[in-house]
Amino acid sequence: MAQLAPIATLVGTGASLYGTVRQGQAQAAQARAQQQQEAASLAARQQQIAAQQEADARARQDRLERTVASTRARLAAAGVSPDQGSAAAITTGLEQDAAETAQGSQEAAAARMAAGRSSLLREDGSLTTWLRAGSSFGGALRSLLD
């Protein structure tokens, strides 16, 4: 009977190791599926942000063109050449303001996209599973040596 105890311990350890490895594989598969789902969600959010940014840029460009055209028409109607002197400074200033606004919008969009990124240090449990398996194997060896 005393000879069966080490064999039973070894069989039990093998079953424990197998169960631990299968659990680790299941956790890894679940983590991969979750990562794929998160990646798809992140891609969709990034497409949304990019589309919104493009729409905002088009709207700003249209507003700028209308404002500059209106300003040039008013200056021309007043008898001032819109391409010289203070008239040129006004139109240049409008264009610079629009460029600064566009830059601020691009920075805000980049910050929103960066905030949506998931961590590279995501836990999937695989290391923990192998440590548990090693611990139970070590326990079995210790039991056999005693």
Side-chain angles (χ1 to χ4, degrees):
M1 213 49 178
Q3 296 165 345
L4 291 178
I7 294 172
T9 301
L10 193 57
V11 169
T13 301
S16 175
L17 282 172
Y18 177 76
T20 303
V21 168
R22 292 294 297 159
Q23 179 185 10
Q25 290 171 343
Q27 285 176 347
Q30 184 179 12
R32 276 193 302 272
Q34 186 177 7
Q35 286 174 345
Q36 288 173 348
Q37 186 178 20
E38 288 175 3
S41 175
L42 178 62
R45 280 192 308 251
Q46 287 177 338
Q47 287 177 347
Q48 247 180 346
I49 290 171
Q52 182 64 40
Q53 186 179 7
E54 287 176 17
D56 290 346
R58 279 192 306 268
R60 278 193 310 273
Q61 185 63 33
D62 289 344
R63 244 186 341 263
L64 174 64
E65 289 174 0
R66 284 192 307 268
T67 303
V68 169
S70 172
T71 303
R72 290 174 62 86
R74 287 182 188 148
L75 290 169
V80 177
S81 173
D83 296 325
Q84 296 175 351
S86 61
I90 290 172
T91 55
T92 303
L94 289 172
E95 291 170 353
Q96 286 176 347
D97 288 346
E100 289 172 4
T101 302
Q103 179 65 26
S105 176
Q106 288 173 350
E107 289 172 1
R112 282 188 298 177
M113 289 177 88
R117 291 191 181 121
S118 61
S119 173
L120 297 175
L121 302 175
R122 187 173 307 277
E123 224 180 280
D124 67 351
S126 60
L127 178 62
T128 305
T129 303
W130 286 105
L131 289 175
R132 272 192 245 137
S135 174
S136 63
F137 183 70
L141 282 178
R142 199 172 328 119
S143 168
L144 286 173
L145 293 174
D146 287 340

